[in-house]
Amino acid sequence: MMDKGCWKLTLTLVVVMTCTKDTEASFSRHMDDFIAVVKQLEDGAPESDPVGVLQKLRWAAGLRDPFIQHFLGDVDSSASEVDAHLLAYIRKSVPYTVTDDAREEGVVLTSDGTTVALRPLLLGIEAGFLLSRSDSVWAMYQLTLARDLGRSLRQNSPLTQRLGPDGCWDSLTSPQVFTLSDTPTLLTTAYVNGGMDGVILGMEAKTRPTLSSLLTEYYCHQLGRGGLDAAPRRISRRRRDNFRELLVSPTLVRHVVKSVVLQRRLERKSKMEVKERKKLTAAVKEGMKQFIHMYIDCPPIIPRCMWGAKPYKGTPINLTLPLSFMFIHHTHTPGKPCLTFQQCSADMRSMQRFHQDDRGWDDIGYSFVAGSDGHIYEGRSWHWQGAHTLGHNSIGYGVSFIGDYVSSLPSQHSMGLVRDQLASCAVGGGRLEADFTLKGHRQVVKTSCPGDALYNEITSWEHYGESKN
């Protein structure tokens, strides 16, 4: 909505999904259901350690290519003892592929609203449980992201077409089909999420007694009143923050190059010459800038289709990039912060209904909206002109915090998402282009009501990018 006092609205309550499922019900492509399958594997073989359970999953999923076996070895024959109905689910849910009609297989929806590929997640965790510390770090990066980054970043296509996209589920209550929103690449957002989680949880693996407990603590944490400011560090909502702490770009570049060399050796191809290796390293370094911008600098953004947006009415007006300003708002109604994907999505739908039906606008007015659940929600996005700041809609993005912040501030985490990440991501309209730099003059325009807590806070912000030209 717009600033305090602009309008009022009755918010419809929605049922919040939790990380509890009836294990007797048919399994969906939801992380909750996958955890239930893992728990059944553990309960069916109480003598098995986490590595044994992971190897059962690897055997059932058919993950046996030489690259994986190079790090994790072959699977012991005892791993084949998997119940038939669990086996059928694992075979459908874990192996990763993208079909010709842009359906992404081997991914699951998590309770926080993001989608995760299971293959890199499980391989990274198995490396963390199975190997010594020094060997596991090398294996984790190779099995989660490095090999696929190598394949992706060596393409001849433009950098902006080598990573992503995200996509949409057919259902949020019983997800079965995930369809990508744009031309498929070798490294989608769901695969990157799974790769990041594989590294993060691989590092934590030896501190948890079971695989199900590791997954439950990470994916199923319920935020309390303090939101993410008071939440544990190692939870899925903090995925990018956690991976940022672990990532050393030159190290990942070396892992990517080594993965290409190793794959070549396993395929019994000729040894890579020094000149070719240097050329590969240069291409990976250049491509890594786009990877870091998209998945480290930028915040996690929930697409319109995931929060249930109605179509835009009429014909959108395209923005002319680059833009000079970011206008900050907060809502009067909804007046409370949203702490779950489900509640934030309901708030987004309420705002869009008000803007379209009561105000008569073409769409929700904001470019983006910040929830208190750790995510940014896509409104009119990077390229469509918004209806957020009268007389200034064509020169800047409009961003609103969900909640009434006259006398209090949004969470520090939410403000960081907007101030530090969304603002940097806005350079080039969400893409890292040759014409833009992430450094330079930055500017945030304060547009919430003068004298309120948020207005006073953002007077200290200086955070926006400008063109090199």
Side-chain angles (χ1 to χ4, degrees):
M1 323 286 177
M2 296 302 289
D3 299 335
K4 174 177 168 54
C6 294
W7 56 276
K8 295 184 178 180
L9 164 70
T10 300
L11 182 65
T12 302
L13 295 178
V14 296
V15 177
V16 177
M17 288 193 302
T18 64
C19 277
T20 57
K21 291 266 185 179
D22 180 0
T23 57
E24 297 302 317
S26 59
F27 293 120
S28 71
R29 301 299 186 269
H30 196 286
M31 180 61 79
D32 298 2
D33 280 329
F34 180 71
I35 294 174
V37 167
V38 171
K39 190 69 168 63
Q40 286 196 28
L41 289 177
E42 293 169 344
D43 293 344
E47 74 285 354
S48 293
D49 60 10
V51 172
V53 173
L54 284 158
Q55 290 190 338
K56 285 179 185 292
L57 289 166
R58 181 152 59 100
W59 177 87
L63 305 183
R64 299 185 181 91
D65 73 67
F67 192 90
I68 295 173
Q69 292 177 339
H70 175 82
F71 293 100
L72 301 179
D74 206 352
V75 179
D76 187 87
S77 59
S78 63
S80 62
E81 300 169 2
V82 178
D83 180 84
H85 82 284
L86 298 183
L87 178 61
Y89 176 80
I90 295 166
R91 283 179 173 171
K92 289 181 179 179
S93 302
V94 176
Y96 182 82
T97 187
V98 176
T99 65
D100 291 339
D101 57 354
R103 288 173 55 171
E104 193 169 13
E105 305 283 355
V107 298
V108 294
L109 173 66
T110 69
S111 291
D112 67 18
T114 56
T115 300
V116 171
L118 289 174
R119 171 186 164 124
L121 167 67
L122 296 174
L123 293 177
I125 293 174
E126 186 174 350
F129 270 118
L130 183 64
L131 304 174
S132 66
R133 184 70 176 180
S134 57
D135 290 337
S136 67
V137 172
W138 151 248
M140 271 184 251
Y141 279 104
Q142 292 293 318
L143 293 168
T144 56
L145 289 171
R147 178 169 63 164
D148 296 285
L149 270 170
R151 290 169 171 170
S152 180
L153 299 181
R154 293 173 72 196
Q155 295 181 100
N156 293 323
S157 58
L159 283 176
T160 54
Q161 298 175 14
R162 299 185 200 176
L163 301 170
D166 207 334
C168 301
W169 286 96
D170 58 335
S171 168
L172 297 183
T173 55
S174 182
Q176 297 291 346
V177 178
F178 187 72
T179 305
L180 294 168
S181 58
D182 205 342
T183 304
T185 65
L186 291 174
L187 211 62
T188 67
T189 295
Y191 200 91
V192 172
N193 287 342
M196 288 181 176
D197 289 350
V199 174
I200 294 164
L201 294 182
M203 297 288 189
E204 298 285 314
K206 287 186 170 67
T207 66
R208 301 297 186 274
T210 63
L211 176 59
S212 63
S213 64
L214 179 68
L215 295 174
T216 299
E217 288 180 26
Y218 186 72
Y219 290 108
C220 301
H221 180 81
Q222 300 295 308
L223 295 179
R225 275 188 170 184
L228 276 169
D229 288 354
R233 189 67 187 171
R234 294 293 186 261
I235 58 175
S236 60
R237 289 179 178 88
R238 295 183 181 273
R239 174 183 297 115
R240 297 191 184 196
D241 295 336
N242 288 325
F243 194 74
R244 183 186 297 108
E245 290 181 356
L246 298 172
L247 178 65
V248 178
S249 181
T251 302
L252 185 53
V253 168
R254 287 197 297 272
H255 280 305
V256 172
V257 173
K258 287 181 178 180
S259 75
V260 176
V261 173
L262 174 59
Q263 184 69 48
R264 190 162 174 161
R265 178 164 64 84
L266 293 172
E267 293 173 356
R268 300 182 182 280
K269 295 181 179 179
S270 60
K271 186 177 180 181
M272 186 179 290
E273 298 294 334
V274 173
K275 184 177 180 180
E276 185 181 359
R277 184 160 180 157
K278 287 183 177 179
K279 184 177 180 181
L280 170 63
T281 301
V284 172
K285 283 182 178 178
E286 186 63 26
M288 196 62 63
K289 295 176 184 177
Q290 177 66 24
F291 174 80
I292 290 174
H293 183 62
M294 285 184 65
Y295 296 112
I296 303 299
D297 295 336
C298 291
I301 296 175
I302 300 295
R304 290 171 61 90
C305 58
M306 287 295 290
W307 59 261
K310 291 181 180 179
Y312 190 101
K313 294 181 179 180
T315 303
I317 300 174
N318 288 325
L319 292 165
T320 301
L321 303 181
L323 301 183
S324 302
F325 301 99
M326 180 176 284
F327 300 97
I328 307 300
H329 302 257
H330 66 101
T331 66
H332 178 271
T333 308
K336 294 182 179 180
C338 59
L339 296 173
T340 67
F341 161 65
Q342 294 76 21
Q343 187 60 58
C344 292
S345 296
D347 290 347
M348 291 294 291
R349 293 191 295 272
S350 295
M351 285 188 279
Q352 187 186 44
R353 281 196 301 271
F354 176 78
H355 288 175
Q356 287 186 321
D357 299 343
D358 292 27
R359 288 279 176 90
W361 297 347
D362 293 333
D363 198 358
I364 187 171
Y366 302 118
S367 309
F368 296 96
V369 178
S372 294
D373 63 334
H375 295 134
I376 300 292
Y377 286 76
E378 181 184 33
R380 299 203 191 187
S381 200
W382 301 115
H383 300 290
W384 293 354
Q385 181 174 304
H388 46 79
T389 312
L390 185 63
H392 299 81
N393 293 318
S394 65
I395 63 171
Y397 295 114
V399 181
S400 184
F401 290 91
I402 292 179
D404 186 343
Y405 296 109
V406 169
S407 58
S408 63
L409 289 174
S411 68
Q412 290 297 313
H413 190 276
S414 295
M415 287 194 292
L417 282 180
V418 175
R419 180 187 61 229
D420 302 326
Q421 293 179 259
L422 187 62
S424 291
C425 192
V427 177
R431 292 286 190 176
L432 181 61
E433 306 285 2
D435 292 338
F436 302 102
T437 178
L438 295 182
K439 297 179 181 178
H441 177 66
R442 305 199 206 184
Q443 193 167 27
V444 168
V445 176
K446 45 190 181 294
T447 60
S448 47
C449 297
D452 68 25
L454 183 58
Y455 179 94
N456 293 333
E457 172 68 18
I458 63 177
T459 56
S460 62
W461 293 10
E462 278 186 42
H463 213 84
Y464 209 72
E466 66 174 2
S467 168
K468 284 182 180 177
N469 300 325

